[in-house]
Structures are given as C-alpha cells and as structure tokens.
Amino acid sequence: MQNELVGFDKTVLTCAFFTTARRKYKMKLNFSLDKLELYLDDDILLAADQLISIQHAQSLIEIEKNLFLLRTTEGGDAIETEVQLSGSKVKMATCECQAYQENNICSHIGAALLLLLEKKKIQAETKKAAPPKQTESHTEGGTKLTIPNILKRIEPNLLIEFIANYARSDKQFALALKTRFASDLSAGSIQDHYKTLIDNTLRTVKNPKGRITPKGWQQVFTMLDELRQKAESFFKAGELNSCFELLKVTLPLIHRLMRAYDSPKAKLERRQIQLTEILRGFDGLLVSPELSQNLWDFVLVEYTQNVRHDYSSRLFDWLLKHADNSSQIEGLLQTLDTQINMCRQFVDIRDRLITQKVQLLHKIGRIEEASALILSASSSPDVLLTAIQNTFNSGDYDLAKSLCENGLKVFKRNAAATQTLEEWLLTIAENEADTEGVIFYAEKRLLATFNYTFYDKLQQLNLPTDKRQAIIKAIENQSYRIEKRDLLAAIYLEEKQLDKLTQMIVEMQSLELLRRYGVALYELDGANKGESVVDLHKKVMYEYLYTHLGRPPAQRIRQVLESQISQNGMALAERLKKELKKDFPERYSLNEELEDMMEEIERRATLIR
C-alpha cells in the first residue's frame, strides 16, 4: 500500500466553502476512523505522530457538529486542517498546506485523524467507566439480555470455560487476554511474563522459513498496541516500576523486529515513538533514585543500539536533559566518541553524532572544545549551524562570530551555507550594534539576493545620501533578473527617484510595474493632476494592445485596473477606462471586460451600502 491511497474516492472532488473565507478543495473519504492504519500510508501516519509529539499540533476543536478544525504551526506559519465525520466514519478532509494541494493528503490530516481517534477512545472509555443509568428492566425480573445481566447470573465455571474455548478459536482475543492479565500472575516478574508472551506470539506468526507472514504482522502490531495500552494503564495508575519493566521488554522488541526481519519499518517506528512518549512522561515525576538510574541505564543502551536510526535523536534528547552528574556526562561522552569512531564511514550519521556531542559540550560549558570539534571533524554545515545557534542563544556573540567566519572559509564552495553564515553574521552585528558590520553584510546579502529586507535594514541606519546612491548604483550594475527589477522599482519609489521608475516602466513595457506602482505615482503627480501618469499608462497599455489581440490581453488590462482600484486608485482607473474605450472602440473583448469590471464594482458597492 505504498503508492495507493486506499479508501479515497479520487473521482469526486467537491469545491465548497468551509468556515474560512477562501476557497478550499475537499477530498471525499469513506472509511471508519478505527481502521485508519489500513487507509493511510505509513509515512503519513509516522509524520502525523511526529507532528503531535513535538507539539506542533496546537488544538483540535469542533467548530460545527462533526466538523473539526486542527491548528498547527510550522516555521512560524499557521496551518488550518479541517476534517468532517459522520458518526465514526471519515467523510471529508482538507488542509491549507502545500503537500495537500499537490497530493490531496498530508501529515496534518493524518494528525487530525489520530487526535480524533484518541478522542473517540477516551470518550468510549469514559462512557464505559461511568456508572450505568438506573432504568427499569423491560422484561420481567430484570432478565433483559445485556452483558451486565449475563455476567451477574452466569456460573463462574461456565464463563471460564467459554473464555477458554473462545481464546482457542480466536488468536486476537487470546493475545488480548494474555496481555491484559500477564502482570497479574503471581509467579515470576512482570518482565518474564511479557517476554514469554512475546516469544510465544513470535513463534506462532512465522512461516517455515522463519519469516513473519503478512497476517502475522497484523498479530504483532495488535500485540504491540496491547502492550502499549498496558504500559499506559500502569503509568496512569502510578505503577511506575511496572510501566518501566514493560517498556524494557517492548522497546528492545521493536528494535529486534526492525533488524531481524524484512519488516514494515514505518509502522514499527510509529509504535516506537509512541512508547518513547510514555518514557518521556516520567519527566517531572518524583521517582526513586534506583528507578531514576535504571531509566538512565536503559535509555543509554537503547540509544547505543539505535544510533544509526533517526529515532535515536529522541533518546539523545532525553539523555541530554537528564545528564546531571559527572558519571552520566562522562559516560555519554564516551558513548558518543565510540559511536563517532564506529560510524566514520557513514557521513550523515557521523555528523548527527558530532552535533549531539557539541550539544553536550555546550551544556557542560566546554565551548572551545565544541568549536574545535566542529571545524575539525564535520563535513556538513548543519553541525556548524547548530553550534552557532546554541552559541548565539547563550549570548556568546564573539564565539558565534568566530564560528561563522571560520565556517565561511571551510564551506566557501557551498552557496547555501555561505548565505546562512553571512545572515548569521548580520544578525550578530545587529545584536552588537556594530554599524559597520550591519552595512557590510546587509549590502552583501542585498546584492546576492535582491531582497528588499536587506535594503530596509540599511535604511534604518540613516546612511548618507552618497552611500545610498552607491548601493543603488551597485544594484543597477548587476545582471538583469526579475528580482533586480522589482527591487530597483521599490527603491526608486522609496527614494522618490520617480523619473528613474517611470523610465524603467517605459523601457521594460511592464504592466506588472504599472499594476504595483501606478497609483503611488498618480498620487505623487499632484502638480500635473496625474496627467503624466495617465500618459505613462497609455504608452505602456496601448503598446501592449497593439501587439496582443483577443480576450487574454483584455483580461490582463482589466487585472491592472482592478489592482489599482484595490489600492484606492478609482480615479485613475476611471480615467484610464474612459481613454481606453475612446481609443479602442473596435476592441469588443476589451470593452466588454471594462464594462463587466465596472458593473462588478458597482455590485460590491451596493452590497456594502
């Protein structure tokens, strides 16, 4: 099921407004929420779990009956996702993100569905735990056929016999029964009971060649989910030692399954992350020194065994947070050194390990050692950039600046790294109020990117006129790019160099620049009552209409006028409309577009009134 989104009706796309004002496209769905794993791709579910666990998923609210809204943040941007249910079935889903626009599915929808599934489970558990309503029986003597009535009246030995027979005929039920009650057996430890359960289950799901069958994997996943639920119940009941004993069995099992068999890794990784979240739940709880040390030892072993997987980063974050004494710190440093040496041929893994060692060195104040490690051992700028971020956050701007400058030498052939390092140097200069540094790096980035933000930074320094003119001259001398055109137009307007802006518009015959700056030029042309700006528009628009025929150019002219009206340029738009109708009476499509535009404006005005 890697390439097919089973359960999606791809022939039906419904265009409709949800609660937001802008238009969205809803993908019609039709599957039960509790069958989510069968209908969504493993990678989507894994990414969705990560969204929830790193708390990018802010809130899930019911905005209308059975219509749910999930708000997430990524890189500071807010993303809204909407899901519609019908009972327990998923009917519609939509999202604002780019992935959804391209693929009709995304991790945000996956996160919303997982949160809804969890919400439904909690509601079911709450309903189950609630005391039964006291209602009169509809049958004589209270013998209505209900489960509570049956359990009250059935002989215990008959119930036991039924459960035994049912467990023999239904493997899923047998597995759930063993998982639920394994910890209640008096002989042996919890760990031993669950190890026995796991070993017995794995024996039954393998084929003669020792491989787990597809149906067998479903049993394995059922077992893992039952074990997780049992661990969660231990945790909620405050039985932290029992919870930890169960995690000690289950997490290594997943690692074993991923290494030993040709396994569906995404589904295993998702369950691995869920169990790690239980482990993180121990944070902030009062635990005995013995349990605290046992937790540390276990996580360190798990980290070491999984160091080549991305999952290890979660374990390292836990270790970094809890490394409190010199013995733990030195042990973790030794582990990192050993793993860096073992993974020296695997560049990505080695760089990740170096980044982790740098983080640990920063935590214990060995900053110079961290810097030397970065510049001597790393082949990736990611390690350096992480160190710069940490150093900057700690307020050590001199060291952050030194790392940036050395990084520019090491990664001088890497354009992306050079850009980021120069922008870091600009940020450091701003924080140190280093005017010369700000001018140097802002100008450097301005000429490299043509991004007006950097010109704005220079403006805020109140540079002398000759310096500003020199910067503008340097931009003008660069090779032509659309970004250069847009930057110069914005600068000319800001600097009131209107002759240059007008000349650029005429030379480039740019309707786009007219659309952006026509109204501003019109307002600044008070002495001539806007005549020269109207002439400028006519010069560019007429030339465009002379060389382009049909409906599309008429629509393009309409777009320019509509944009000007939206910028409070109604007076300019009306004058241009009058001139266009007078000078192009034979252009039917142009006149039709202009009339339709004015009628639409009038309709909007009537609605407002």
Side-chain angles (χ1 to χ4, degrees):
M1 198 193 67
Q2 294 300 315
N3 299 317
E4 186 71 10
L5 293 174
V6 181
F8 284 72
D9 184 354
K10 296 179 181 175
T11 64
V12 184
L13 275 174
T14 307
C15 180
F17 283 103
F18 262 56
T19 53
T20 51
R22 55 188 173 278
R23 187 174 291 265
K24 299 178 181 178
Y25 292 93
K26 301 190 295 182
M27 175 59 79
K28 276 198 170 184
L29 312 170
N30 187 23
F31 63 85
S32 179
L33 195 57
D34 59 3
K35 303 293 183 185
L36 184 59
E37 282 192 0
L38 299 176
Y39 292 99
L40 290 192
D41 188 86
D42 295 340
D43 294 335
I44 292 291
L45 289 172
L46 181 60
D49 256 331
Q50 291 172 339
L51 263 179
I52 295 170
S53 63
I54 61 179
Q55 296 182 344
H56 281 332
Q58 294 177 340
S59 61
L60 178 72
I61 56 174
E62 188 170 8
I63 52 178
E64 292 179 12
K65 186 176 181 181
N66 291 327
L67 179 60
F68 297 87
L69 172 67
L70 173 68
R71 289 192 176 93
T72 55
T73 51
E74 289 184 11
D77 295 329
I79 296 173
E80 290 191 353
T81 306
E82 290 171 340
V83 173
Q84 189 175 48
L85 300 183
S86 176
S88 63
K89 284 198 170 184
V90 183
K91 288 298 183 182
M92 295 282 187
T94 185
C95 185
E96 294 179 333
C97 74
Q98 187 61 35
Y100 176 78
Q101 306 304 322
E102 294 172 358
N103 305 313
N104 288 323
I105 188 64
C106 64
S107 58
H108 305 101
I109 290 176
L113 293 175
L114 286 174
L115 289 170
L116 280 170
L117 181 60
E118 185 66 24
K119 181 184 178 79
K120 294 287 183 186
K121 286 182 179 178
I122 292 171
Q123 288 173 346
E125 289 175 6
T126 304
K127 186 176 180 181
K128 185 178 179 182
K133 293 182 180 179
Q134 299 298 319
T135 58
E136 294 184 6
S137 174
H138 293 289
T139 58
E140 188 177 347
T143 56
K144 185 179 179 181
L145 189 61
T146 64
I147 297 298
N149 279 338
I150 291 173
L151 293 176
K152 283 178 185 177
R153 287 165 175 76
I154 195 171
E155 291 292 332
N157 60 323
L158 293 176
L159 180 60
I160 291 170
E161 183 182 353
F162 171 79
I163 291 173
N165 290 331
Y166 190 46
R168 278 192 288 271
S169 63
D170 190 309
K171 291 182 180 180
Q172 299 283 9
F173 175 73
L175 182 58
L177 187 66
K178 291 175 184 177
T179 306
R180 170 63 182 84
F181 294 104
S183 60
D184 295 327
L185 298 177
S186 56
S189 68
I190 290 175
Q191 196 170 341
D192 289 338
H193 291 319
Y194 282 108
K195 276 184 177 178
T196 302
L197 169 67
I198 289 166
D199 290 341
N200 289 340
T201 302
L202 291 180
R203 273 196 297 272
T204 63
V205 298
K206 294 178 185 176
N207 61 22
K209 294 182 179 179
R211 298 279 183 118
I212 297 179
T213 64
K215 188 176 180 180
W217 275 116
Q218 290 306 315
Q219 284 186 257
V220 170
F221 295 139
T222 299
M223 176 184 68
L224 291 173
D225 291 340
E226 293 282 353
L227 291 172
R228 174 180 57 79
Q229 290 169 15
K230 187 64 179 177
E232 288 172 344
S233 69
F234 279 141
F235 185 84
K236 290 175 183 176
E239 299 178 37
L240 300 183
N241 284 300
S242 297
C243 178
F244 174 58
E245 290 298 315
L246 188 48
L247 290 175
K248 278 174 65 178
V249 176
T250 314
L251 278 166
L253 166 64
I254 294 178
H255 175 65
R256 200 170 93 209
L257 289 169
M258 292 177 72
R259 292 187 62 185
Y261 306 105
D262 184 16
S263 58
K265 288 186 171 51
K267 288 185 177 181
L268 288 170
E269 285 173 0
R270 196 162 72 82
R271 287 162 173 83
Q272 198 174 44
I273 291 169
Q274 290 171 335
L275 289 165
T276 309
E277 287 304 304
I278 300 175
L279 191 68
R280 289 170 64 176
F282 281 78
D283 291 356
L285 297 179
L286 289 174
V287 299
S288 67
E290 181 183 2
L291 178 56
S292 179
Q293 185 60 46
N294 288 340
L295 280 165
W296 173 271
D297 293 340
F298 170 69
V299 176
L300 185 60
V301 171
E302 271 293 287
Y303 169 72
T304 305
Q305 292 178 345
N306 288 275
V307 79
R308 297 191 182 190
H309 303 287
D310 291 339
Y311 158 70
S312 66
S313 296
R314 290 172 173 271
L315 298 173
F316 177 79
D317 290 343
W318 190 95
L319 291 167
L320 183 65
K321 182 177 181 179
H322 294 85
D324 295 325
N325 58 58
S326 58
S327 173
Q328 290 175 337
I329 290 167
E330 289 304 318
L332 185 53
L333 279 172
Q334 186 176 355
T335 298
L336 285 164
D337 286 337
T338 302
Q339 295 300 326
I340 289 170
N341 186 53
M342 290 175 62
C343 297
R344 59 184 179 274
Q345 293 181 331
F346 306 98
V347 176
D348 291 344
I349 298 172
R350 186 197 63 184
D351 284 346
R352 171 156 48 82
L353 290 165
I354 291 172
T355 301
Q356 291 172 352
K357 183 176 180 181
V358 167
Q359 289 177 287
L360 182 57
L361 290 171
H362 271 275
K363 176 178 177 174
I364 60 179
R366 288 156 63 171
I367 308 299
E368 295 296 337
E369 185 179 344
S371 304
L373 173 65
I374 292 162
L375 296 172
S376 64
S378 172
S379 61
S380 165
D382 294 339
V383 179
L384 174 63
L385 295 175
T386 299
I388 292 169
Q389 178 75 66
N390 292 336
T391 309
F392 180 83
N393 290 343
S394 69
D396 192 344
Y397 297 147
D398 287 340
L399 180 57
K401 184 176 180 179
S402 174
L403 288 171
C404 289
E405 290 170 344
N406 285 311
L408 285 173
K409 297 173 186 175
V410 174
F411 299 109
K412 60 185 177 182
R413 297 182 186 277
N414 187 321
T418 298
Q419 171 183 329
T420 306
L421 290 168
E422 286 179 350
E423 289 179 8
W424 263 117
L425 285 165
L426 173 58
T427 301
I428 293 166
E430 288 176 317
N431 278 270
E432 291 186 319
D434 174 11
T435 303
E436 289 187 8
V438 173
I439 293 172
F440 180 80
Y441 287 108
E443 185 175 353
K444 200 172 180 64
R445 296 311 308 147
L446 177 67
L447 294 174
T449 64
F450 298 127
N451 188 327
Y452 188 83
T453 302
F454 297 112
Y455 186 80
D456 190 49
K457 289 180 183 292
L458 292 166
Q459 264 198 318
Q460 293 172 20
L461 298 175
N462 296 317
L463 298 178
T465 302
D466 59 338
K467 177 61 177 175
R468 294 205 309 274
Q469 294 306 316
I471 292 171
I472 294 171
K473 189 67 175 175
I475 298 169
E476 290 172 338
N477 290 335
Q478 298 292 308
S479 300
Y480 177 77
R481 283 163 48 189
I482 291 292
E483 295 85 356
K484 172 191 167 182
R485 179 204 72 180
D486 294 343
L487 173 64
L488 280 174
I491 291 174
Y492 290 154
L493 183 65
E494 181 65 29
E495 298 289 341
K496 299 297 186 291
Q497 297 183 12
L498 305 183
D499 290 343
K500 283 190 172 183
L501 177 55
T502 301
Q503 182 182 352
M504 176 190 285
I505 293 171
V506 173
E507 287 178 354
M508 295 184 174
Q509 289 291 298
S510 176
L511 287 174
E512 178 59 24
L513 292 182
L514 276 184
R515 185 187 68 79
R516 293 186 191 180
Y517 302 109
V519 174
L521 289 171
Y522 187 74
E523 291 172 349
L524 291 169
D525 193 33
N528 297 316
K529 297 182 179 179
E531 288 296 333
S532 59
V533 177
V534 171
D535 289 341
L536 169 66
H537 280 74
K538 289 170 65 175
K539 193 175 295 185
V540 175
M541 287 180 169
Y542 285 21
E543 182 63 29
Y544 178 71
L545 289 169
Y546 290 145
T547 55
H548 296 78
L549 301 175
R551 178 73 61 177
Q555 292 172 333
R556 184 76 178 93
I557 296 295
R558 174 179 176 170
Q559 288 170 0
V560 173
L561 298 185
E562 285 180 331
S563 177
Q564 292 175 342
I565 291 168
S566 71
Q567 300 171 52
N568 296 320
M570 177 63 84
L572 173 60
E574 286 183 331
R575 289 179 68 174
L576 290 170
K577 177 213 164 193
K578 182 179 178 180
E579 294 290 330
L580 286 164
K581 287 179 72 65
K582 182 187 72 173
D583 294 331
F584 293 90
E586 76 289 351
R587 295 289 286 268
Y588 171 78
S589 57
L590 175 64
N591 284 277
E592 187 179 55
E593 290 291 337
L594 294 175
E595 288 302 325
D596 186 58
M597 176 189 75
M598 298 311 292
E599 287 175 9
E600 178 64 25
I601 292 167
E602 183 58 34
R603 278 197 299 272
R604 292 177 191 171
T606 302
L607 287 173
I608 293 171
R609 289 197 294 268

